[in-house]
């Protein structure tokens, strides 16, 4: 959304959306501003920091950053998604759950010290999984900045009043819109960035359950095991081995 960044029309450097980024070739020695702090933004910033002169990451709300490796070397989601921990989250009072989550998120490093602490600390929304980001911030290859207030021909002005000069490249890792142009709106319709699907898969108004959307989810952990289970369920519905409620 370029209209959200006053002065972009004056900016003389290169700028593009993260979906256009393929590799750091041609960006060596540049001063690069990555706008966003999702998984794409973090991966791009870390990779660019190995080649660029300096990388800046601008974030509006911050984010919890987690390593893929957790207790005893197990994958993070394998440790987080257990029956015991799920039972604790359902039984314990909300204040205790919030405190436990904050302690767990800050176990690796204190997010406040790195300028990454989320504004809403207790909203477990799309944490960033990146093993290298904290170390890159620690020795200065990546610098965390607040929201971009304005852009000039060669610099970026941030909400806290700081200015970074001689910006060569801006990468907009500002998210995506999604749509289904190959389907009629009567089948699957996107409204306010939401799609009405039973269990995030089946259009509820079809006479026969012959259509399923796979992968329209944001799990806490790897998407592929969940998508595999979605595909198994969909094929069983298609074969008539499972029936959906009316």
């Amino acid at each position: 959304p370029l209209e959200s960044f006053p002065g972009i029309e004056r900016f003389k450097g290169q700028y593009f959306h993260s979906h256009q980024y393929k590799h750091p070739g041609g960006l060596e020695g540049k001063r690069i501003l990555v706008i966003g702090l999702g998984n794409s933004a973090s991966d791009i910033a870390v990779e660019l920091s190995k080649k660029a002169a300096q990388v800046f990451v601008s974030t509006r709300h911050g984010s919890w950053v987690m390593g893929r490796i957790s207790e005893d070397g197990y994958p993070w989601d394998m440790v987080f998604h257990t029956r015991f921990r799920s039972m604790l989250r359902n039984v314990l009072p909300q204040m205790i759950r919030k405190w436990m989550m904050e302690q767990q998120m800050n176990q690796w490093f204190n997010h406040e010290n790195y300028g990454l602490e989320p504004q809403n600390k207790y909203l477990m929304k799309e944490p960033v999984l990146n093993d290298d980001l904290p170390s890159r911030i620690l020795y200065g290859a990546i610098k965390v900045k607040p929201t971009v207030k304005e852009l000039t021909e060669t610099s970026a002005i941030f909400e806290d009043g700081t200015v970074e000069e001689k910006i060569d490249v801006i990468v907009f890792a500002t998210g995506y819109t999604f749509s289904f142009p190959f389907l009629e709106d009567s089948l699957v319709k996107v409204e306010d960035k939401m799609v009405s699907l039973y269990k995030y898969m089946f259009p509820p108004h079809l006479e026969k359950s012959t259509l399923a959307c796979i992968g329209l989810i944001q799990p806490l952990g790897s998407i592929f095991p969940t998508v595999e289970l979605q595909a198994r369920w969909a094929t069983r519905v298609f074969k008539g081995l499972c029936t959906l409620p009316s």
Side-chain angles (χ1 to χ4, degrees):
L2 295 180
E3 65 276 3
S4 301
F5 299 92
I8 186 63
E9 69 280 353
R10 302 196 306 267
F11 183 67
K12 291 185 175 181
Q14 180 185 5
Y15 62 87
F16 53 88
H17 191 272
S18 57
H19 83 275
Q20 297 173 274
Y21 176 85
K22 303 301 179 185
H23 55 77
L27 300 177
E28 295 88 349
K30 304 287 188 181
R31 287 170 61 84
I32 302 172
L33 171 62
V34 179
I35 299 180
L37 189 62
N39 283 296
S40 296
S42 301
D43 288 343
I44 291 172
V46 166
E47 186 170 67
L48 288 174
S49 69
K50 302 173 185 178
K51 303 285 186 178
Q54 182 65 60
V55 174
F56 304 95
V57 172
S58 169
T59 173
R60 288 184 299 172
H61 306 300
S63 180
W64 294 122
V65 178
M66 309 177 65
R68 291 175 174 83
I69 301 175
S70 187
E71 299 170 14
D72 299 322
Y74 287 106
W76 169 82
D77 53 332
M78 185 180 291
V79 173
F80 185 81
H81 295 299
T82 65
R83 290 185 177 91
F84 176 70
R85 295 196 179 209
S86 179
M87 181 270 294
L88 283 181
R89 288 191 289 269
N90 290 330
V91 171
L92 293 175
Q94 187 178 19
M95 289 301 298
I96 296 179
R97 290 203 315 269
K98 289 179 177 180
W99 177 83
M100 289 178 62
M101 191 190 75
E102 184 178 354
Q103 296 303 306
Q104 185 177 5
M105 294 297 105
N106 281 320
Q107 190 172 8
W108 185 20
F109 67 97
N110 189 323
H111 286 64
E112 184 179 4
N113 293 343
Y114 285 67
L116 296 173
E117 186 175 58
Q119 285 185 2
N120 189 338
K121 297 188 293 185
Y122 307 118
L123 182 62
M124 190 65 173
K125 182 182 179 182
E126 299 181 19
V128 172
L129 282 172
N130 196 298
D131 297 320
D132 299 323
L133 182 61
S135 62
R136 299 282 169 181
I137 295 173
L138 187 65
Y139 66 76
I142 296 175
K143 294 183 179 180
V144 180
K145 306 294 293 186
T147 303
V148 174
K149 181 181 179 181
E150 186 181 358
L151 297 167
T152 69
E153 293 180 352
T154 59
S155 63
I157 304 171
F158 300 91
E159 279 195 342
D160 62 354
T162 59
V163 180
E164 294 297 342
E165 304 282 355
K166 299 179 180 179
I167 300 295
D168 300 302
V169 181
I170 299 176
V171 182
F172 289 99
T174 48
Y176 299 83
T177 58
F178 65 96
S179 62
F180 300 86
F182 47 86
L183 294 175
E184 297 178 5
D185 282 348
S186 59
L187 295 175
V188 178
K189 187 176 182 180
V190 180
E191 292 182 314
D192 297 326
K193 300 182 180 181
M194 298 290 291
V195 180
S196 179
L197 298 170
Y198 177 65
K199 299 293 186 182
Y200 303 101
M201 286 179 57
F202 294 98
H205 55 276
L206 295 185
E207 182 179 348
K208 295 182 180 180
S209 300
T210 56
L211 176 66
C213 297
I214 305 296
L216 281 183
I217 50 175
Q218 180 67 51
L220 291 176
S222 174
I223 192 173
F224 293 106
T226 312
V227 166
E228 168 72 17
L229 292 176
Q230 285 185 316
R232 292 187 190 188
W233 184 32
T235 53
R236 289 181 64 83
V237 171
F238 294 159
K239 292 174 68 175
L241 300 177
C242 290
T243 56
L244 301 182
S246 60

